């Protein structure tokens, strides 16, 4: 089964978690990888929606698919659940903040003390949540889940652990410690691991070319998944 029969939900960019009205916790994601995937999905899929955190407005100016702007990881989860459909392919290139401040101050925190302790609580895991919706609801059994792993060391080990623990169909690992891959740059180096054990090492390429090769892997994975569901 190819993407032309599918709705593709791509997430990209960071999430931000407010500490007070002027300060937040976030990360270095710019949304470039997610945008490249959404651009490529729009060429192939029946429908594409790009759910993104705060990114530069030029990134999404004039795109011809639907976009949804979110801020926090909890908002990202709600937006993904709102778009989820039985024929969905979810590609999670976003970098959601794993933790958020336990309390958001309604007013600007004054810098009176020498030390300020910030207590963080864990955010929900979006991929795990969608995987559990899929596992308990047969109507969503055909949903395809593609994750990313942003790692600086033990790339293969950590990626395979995430593939298994998040119950994904595939995972794309990028070495975010490199200056020509991962956050912010226009190029990436990705290795794709499929649920069935296949692996595909992609060379240094533009994020758009990387996106195209990743969606080739999604289409192969979809074909296998559909055959398995039918047998
Ligand atoms: O945006 P760019 O500047 O172009 O950079 C691209 C990128 C480096 C952000 C991208 O290629 C990438 O690696 N995205 C995933 C970043 C990330 O959150 O990785 P992780 O290893 O911490 O998380 C593993 C997977 O779980 C990811 O698919 C992530 O989207 C997902 N996740 C994470 C946290 C959370 N609460 N819920 C999730 O579903």
């Amino acid at each position: 089964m190819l993407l032309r029969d599918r709705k593709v939900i791509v997430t990209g960019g960071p999430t931000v978690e407010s500490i007070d009205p002027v300060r937040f916790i976030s990360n270095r994601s710019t949304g470039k990888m997610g945008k490249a995937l959404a651009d490529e999905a729009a060429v192939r899929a029946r429908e594409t929606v790009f759910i993104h955190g705060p990114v530069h407005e030029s990134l999404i100016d004039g795109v011809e698919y639907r976009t949804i702007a979110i801020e926090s990881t909890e908002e990202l989860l709600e937006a993904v659940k709102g778009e989820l459909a039985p024929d969905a392919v979810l590609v999670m290139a976003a970098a959601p903040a794993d933790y958020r401040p336990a309390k958001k101050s309604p007013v600007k925190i004054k810098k009176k003390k020498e030390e300020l302790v910030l207590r963080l609580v864990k955010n929900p895991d979006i991929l795990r949540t969608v995987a559990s919706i899929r596992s308990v609801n047969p109507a969503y059994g055909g949903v395809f889940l593609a994750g990313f792993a942003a790692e600086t060391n033990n790339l293969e080990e950590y990626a395979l652990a995430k593939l298994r623990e998040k119950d994904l169909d595939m995972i794309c690992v990028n070495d975010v410690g490199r200056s020509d891959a991962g956050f912010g740059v226009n190029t990436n180096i990705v290795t794709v691991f499929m649920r069935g054990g296949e692996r595909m090492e992609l060379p240094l390429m533009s994020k758009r070319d990387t996106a195209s090769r990743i969606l080739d892997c999604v289409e192969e994975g979809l074909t296998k998944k559909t055959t398995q569901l039918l047998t």
Side-chain angles (χ1 to χ4, degrees):
M1 186 187 263
L2 297 174
L3 285 171
R4 66 168 176 267
D5 302 314
R6 292 283 188 145
K7 171 177 180 176
V8 179
I9 306 165
V10 180
T11 71
T15 64
V16 301
E17 304 292 345
S18 293
I19 298 168
D20 70 14
V22 297
R23 305 179 179 98
F24 58 79
I25 304 175
S26 190
N27 59 63
R28 297 180 190 281
S29 174
T30 56
K32 288 180 180 178
M33 191 65 241
K35 158 76 159 52
L37 285 156
D39 284 352
E40 185 61 29
V43 175
R44 304 183 186 206
R46 197 195 76 228
E47 183 188 351
T48 299
V49 59
F50 181 40
I51 308 177
H52 60 86
V55 293
H56 198 278
E57 62 187 22
S58 61
L59 195 77
I60 44 165
D61 254 4
V63 298
E64 287 179 354
Y65 42 82
R66 265 190 317 122
T67 59
I68 299 175
I70 56 86
E71 288 218 335
S72 66
T73 296
E74 288 176 308
E75 285 173 17
L76 179 57
L77 174 61
E78 287 313 305
V80 167
K81 286 202 296 195
E83 290 297 326
L84 199 61
D87 66 349
V89 171
L90 172 61
V91 185
M92 281 288 300
D98 291 318
Y99 292 89
R100 65 180 186 278
K103 272 196 224 148
K104 177 185 165 188
S105 169
V107 292
K108 185 179 174 191
I109 298 170
K110 291 311 230 182
K111 52 174 187 201
K112 284 186 202 140
K113 299 179 201 155
E114 278 311 305
E115 263 187 30
L116 178 69
V117 177
L118 197 57
R119 200 164 71 81
L120 302 177
V121 293
K122 210 167 187 183
N123 266 328
D125 190 288
I126 294 150
L127 281 170
R128 275 181 205 248
T129 307
V130 175
S132 68
I133 293 173
R134 175 176 70 177
S135 72
V136 298
N137 189 339
Y140 288 85
V143 167
F144 189 92
L145 295 179
F148 269 74
E151 308 294 349
T152 54
N153 57 306
N154 302 339
L155 270 64
E156 177 164 350
E157 180 192 338
Y158 292 150
L160 289 175
K162 283 175 183 171
L163 178 75
R164 199 175 49 247
E165 285 159 15
K166 293 179 189 244
D167 191 17
L168 306 179
D169 296 293
M170 64 181 255
I171 194 154
C172 311
V173 62
N174 39 195
D175 182 347
V176 295
R178 290 181 60 123
S179 59
D180 52 2
F183 295 103
V185 289
N186 295 322
T187 51
N188 212 350
I189 307 178
V190 163
T191 301
V192 180
F193 295 96
M194 305 298 293
R195 185 195 275 275
E198 306 88 338
R199 78 184 266 157
M200 162 98 70
E201 268 179 52
L202 304 179
L204 176 67
M205 283 189 284
S206 68
K207 283 187 172 168
R208 180 59 191 262
D209 288 341
T210 304
S212 169
R213 299 289 296 276
I214 288 173
L215 292 191
D216 289 344
C217 294
V218 169
E219 293 199 305
E220 278 171 35
L222 276 173
T223 306
K224 279 205 177 139
K225 190 177 174 88
T226 311
T227 315
Q228 281 161 4
L229 285 173
L230 293 175
T231 51

